[in-house]
Amino acid sequence: MAVGLEWVKAGQAFPLPLGRPAVIGRGHHAEIVLGDSHVSRRHCQAQWDGCRVWVHDLGSRCGTYLNGERPRDGERVAEPEGGLLRLGDVLHVGPVWLRLGTPSRVETAWLAWHGGLIVSMAAHLFEAGDFGDLPVLANALEEAGCADADILAHCRAGGGHARGCWVLDLLLGKG
């Protein structure tokens, strides 16, 4: 599992399937079932494309929100475009808060390697929006001591990379 949602109060983790939407709701047809009467049966869906997670409201009564301090606070997920969920963001599904996270961790030694080269490379890729050098970043991470299969495989995977990439967010401390 590279990314998943965690129910903030309950501590329950829900891995997100790659390449297909996961319906979040209280009904038995939902992949992520939240037992709360304020959550619609098919409240929203989250789709992980391997790089980013998009959220779409499915016509819920209460709406779906990103971040904010309380329910119905924060940025409402508008349709048809949906909302981009990044590492550390909180998805408000009625009164339930789900945080996007990853079990992958960054080691301080990687970030300090060669005077901060990993951070410089990640920042350049993020700012330029040119993700063609992600395999080079993977090689540098490996030389710096990274053995995280999810991180290395993601950087080496072809195509589909975009701003909001979970690996760059992780390396740059954006989550």
Side-chain angles (χ1 to χ4, degrees), residues 34 52 61 63 70 77 114 133 143-144 155 160 170:
L34 306 175
R52 302 178 297 180
R61 307 183 302 239
R70 54 190 182 280
V77 174
H114 282 301
D133 284 338
E143 286 182 37
C155 290
L170 185 66

Side-chain angles (χ1 to χ4, degrees), residues 59-132:
S60 65
R61 307 183 302 239
C62 309
T64 304
Y65 296 83
L66 300 179
N67 300 313
E69 298 299 317
R70 54 190 182 280
R72 294 191 184 207
D73 188 12
E75 178 187 340
R76 186 177 185 125
V77 174
E79 296 306 324
E81 64 275 1
L84 177 61
L85 191 61
R86 298 178 74 172
L87 286 183
D89 282 351
V90 175
L91 175 63
H92 296 245
V93 180
V96 177
W97 293 14
L98 301 169
R99 177 174 287 118
L100 183 67
T102 179
S104 295
R105 297 291 174 249
V106 173
E107 300 292 330
T108 309
W110 309 347
L111 301 179
W113 184 74
H114 282 301
L117 181 60
I118 299 288
V119 176
S120 294
M121 290 174 73
H124 174 74
L125 292 169
F126 179 83
E127 290 163 10
D130 179 6
F131 304 101

Side-chain angles (χ1 to χ4, degrees), residues 41-64:
R41 285 182 182 87
R42 292 176 39 88
H43 197 101
C44 63
Q45 68 183 22
Q47 182 161 352
W48 179 44
D49 65 11
C51 192
R52 302 178 297 180
V53 175
W54 289 95
V55 176
H56 294 276
D57 187 81
L58 297 175
S60 65
R61 307 183 302 239
C62 309
T64 304

Side-chain angles (χ1 to χ4, degrees), residues 5-20:
L5 294 168
E6 180 185 2
W7 190 337
V8 174
K9 288 187 180 174
Q12 189 174 358
F14 304 99
L16 290 175
L18 177 61
R20 68 175 179 79

